[in-house]
Amino acid sequence: MRRKNWEIPCLTLRTAHPYGNMRYNGTIQFEQTSAGGVDKYGEPIPAKTEWGEPIKCSIKANSDTRKGIYEDGKFRQASYVILIETQSLPGTIQRTRLKRFSESLGDHDILNIEPLLSVGRIQILV
């Protein structure tokens, strides 16, 4: 009996790209908040938030479910583990924007940041 060869349409294999000693498959941006204050007339100046420069990283899905349905459409629940080269991070960061290849993975709250000293990386859980 012969085995059937299965064809998977529209499947493109994407491989990670080397960057230094680490292979990456996406970018991460951190939301940075500038301090507010008061102007020379005593009027409050609101704090501004802006996205920092994209940093090359390795993104791995921790969990990803696209089964969420609500009245007006569908939603996605996802958690990712991100590895970046050891570097100085902005002061206080709470949100990230992820992009894997050309797919935007959205904006996420940071759950945990852990330096992996033995391998010279920083692990971020969102």
Side-chain angles (χ1 to χ4, degrees):
M1 188 165 145
R2 290 185 87 189
R3 295 174 101 185
K4 183 174 180 172
N5 291 331
W6 296 95
E7 291 184 22
I8 302 172
C10 300
L11 176 67
T12 57
L13 297 176
R14 298 184 232 173
T15 60
H17 306 287
Y19 176 68
N21 294 329
M22 187 172 94
R23 296 177 67 81
Y24 69 91
N25 62 358
T27 60
I28 184 171
Q29 289 179 284
F30 297 108
E31 184 181 55
Q32 299 170 347
T33 305
S34 65
V38 293
D39 64 8
K40 63 182 180 179
Y41 303 110
E43 296 293 323
I45 300 172
K48 296 179 186 175
T49 59
E50 57 186 29
W51 293 101
E53 292 295 318
I55 299 170
K56 295 180 191 273
C57 65
S58 173
I59 302 171
K60 178 183 164 201
N62 195 18
S63 67
D64 190 0
T65 178
R66 300 172 192 230
K67 296 181 180 179
I69 298 175
Y70 63 98
E71 188 176 308
D72 296 329
K74 298 179 180 181
F75 65 92
R76 174 182 187 177
Q77 288 180 313
S79 173
Y80 299 99
V81 176
I82 300 114
L83 287 176
I84 61 174
E85 296 280 349
T86 300
Q87 57 187 289
S88 61
L89 296 176
T92 57
I93 50 176
Q94 296 176 352
R95 291 191 59 77
T96 63
R97 177 175 285 167
L98 297 176
K99 188 173 185 179
R100 183 169 44 199
F101 296 111
S102 61
E103 176 188 14
S104 175
L105 300 176
D107 301 346
H108 301 274
D109 291 329
I110 294 176
L111 301 176
N112 188 24
I113 298 177
E114 179 181 354
L116 305 175
L117 300 176
S118 61
V119 292
R121 309 276 190 269
I122 297 174
Q123 178 176 296
I124 302 168
L125 180 63
V126 297

